[in-house]
Amino acid sequence: KFASFFNRVKRVVSEHWSPGEVYLRNDPYGNVYGVKDRYTVLNVRLDSEGALQDVSVAQSSGVGFLDDEAIHAFQGASPFPNPPRGLVEQDGHIRFQFGFYFEIGERPRIRAFRSRRYPY
């Protein structure tokens, strides 16, 4: 129902997300963090106009600098104009979770999804 909005969010956030560069700077040979795929999930809260109000890690990738890169990507991409009114909750906020999937050796992927189990 709100796929076009989340596709826009995904597209803009992906322009600000560079996990490969960050990973190479911190562990160029994969000796410290290994070569396993990493998945970060963020809790995101926007205001009714699409401005970022809060972003936090819901599920860590296990590598702090990759989690930080996901947060910075979301901060850099905000605001997200024209959010659908149907996403706005009674308190005037939009809440969802947003996943970042970093495959070592492959092109990084971003997955967006809305969860009703948002913590606040």
Side-chain angles (χ1 to χ4, degrees):
K1 184 175 180 179
F2 304 115
S4 64
F5 174 72
F6 287 111
N7 286 335
R8 281 188 286 133
V9 169
K10 180 180 174 180
R11 185 176 57 251
V12 175
V13 170
S14 70
E15 293 171 4
H16 293 269
W17 187 51
S18 302
E21 293 173 18
V22 173
Y23 194 83
L24 287 174
R25 272 197 312 267
N26 288 276
D27 190 11
Y29 303 106
N31 294 332
V32 178
Y33 300 102
V35 292
K36 76 178 208 173
D37 298 345
R38 302 291 179 162
Y39 188 61
T40 300
V41 177
L42 300 181
N43 290 322
V44 179
R45 182 169 48 99
L46 308 177
D47 68 15
S48 62
E49 300 301 313
L52 185 64
Q53 296 296 300
D54 188 45
V55 60
S56 62
V57 175
Q59 176 184 326
S60 174
S61 67
V63 179
F65 63 81
L66 288 176
D67 297 342
D68 291 344
E69 177 66 8
I71 288 171
H72 292 136
F74 229 94
Q75 291 169 333
S78 177
F80 305 96
N82 304 316
R85 293 290 148 217
L87 285 175
V88 180
E89 297 175 7
Q90 287 183 349
D91 66 357
H93 291 105
I94 299 167
R95 293 177 176 86
F96 57 93
Q97 291 187 319
F98 198 89
F100 293 80
Y101 188 66
F102 178 51
E103 290 180 289
I104 304 296
E106 297 292 327
R107 185 169 181 236
R109 292 185 291 182
I110 296 178
R111 295 182 179 157
F113 53 92
R114 183 174 168 102
S115 173
R116 291 285 179 203
R117 296 180 292 120
Y118 194 78
Y120 59 90

